[in-house]
Amino acid sequence: MIALVAAAVMWAVLAAGDDPDPAPSPGSTQTTGPTTGEPAAACGPVPAPPKGEVLVYFWCDAHLAPVVRHVDDADLFDSTFAAISAGPTPDELDRGYEGSIDPKIRATITQSEGTVTIDLDESTLKVERFLAGANFAVKSLKTTFNELPGVRAVEITIDGRSLCSLDPECSG
């Protein structure tokens, strides 16, 4: 049963593609929501972070919106993943931000020639919050990690297998 649910979720993630919803880039001035044109009030632009800080993307007003988090430059990838997993602060939650990575999820993160691979532990497929929001989680991770220095591409795998390998109906 878990395999069927996982396959359905992964198919939905892959069907959505790698193109995240419009998200402001560092220093951008996006002040409206992506479809309504209404002010994105609580999810407004954030200036580019100084050294030792990164932009972490959470969901807010139906789109990705950045917040600044302090990270350990010596352990940039793991500390960035930990910042995403920790989710929004209580103040950010009050302003409408939502996290999509459960703190129980573990990952091994590697980089080779500008490609970061985030290998989620297979237990991820048993975390209900991940299954319910896999598409959001993937977009949040990819958008956040794509903004890190030296990163040209982000791949997400589960226990070393591509998301596509988990879905028998996947063609790509």
Side-chain angles (χ1 to χ4, degrees):
M1 182 66 175
I2 288 177
L4 291 174
V5 171
V9 168
M10 291 308 130
W11 182 83
V13 168
L14 293 167
D18 289 343
D19 186 29
D21 287 343
S25 56
S28 80
T29 57
Q30 179 176 346
T31 57
T32 62
T35 57
T36 64
E38 295 298 316
C43 310
V46 174
K51 187 167 177 56
E53 294 183 337
V54 296
L55 293 178
V56 172
Y57 286 81
F58 296 122
W59 290 90
C60 187
D61 289 342
H63 68 280
L64 287 172
V67 297
V68 176
R69 291 291 187 267
H70 179 75
V71 293
D72 178 2
D73 281 335
D75 196 12
L76 182 62
F77 298 136
D78 288 334
S79 61
T80 298
F81 185 82
I84 293 172
S85 297
T89 65
D91 179 57
E92 291 163 349
L93 289 169
D94 288 345
R95 293 185 348 235
Y97 285 86
E98 299 176 56
S100 58
I101 304 289
D102 192 291
K104 296 175 194 162
I105 293 175
R106 299 290 171 244
T108 302
I109 304 168
T110 56
Q111 180 184 28
S112 176
E113 299 179 15
T115 298
V116 169
T117 301
I118 302 170
D119 186 38
L120 303 172
D121 185 86
E122 186 153 358
S123 65
T124 300
L125 296 175
K126 296 177 184 166
V127 177
E128 184 177 329
R129 184 171 165 202
F130 179 82
L131 295 175
N135 191 29
F136 300 121
V138 168
K139 287 181 180 183
S140 176
L141 287 168
K142 284 188 172 194
T143 302
T144 297
F145 277 84
N146 268 317
E147 298 234 355
L148 298 179
V151 176
R152 289 180 288 160
V154 178
E155 294 179 0
I156 305 206
T157 58
I158 296 182
D159 202 30
R161 296 174 291 175
S162 74
L163 296 179
C164 200
S165 72
L166 297 170
D167 181 2
E169 295 182 23
C170 180
S171 61

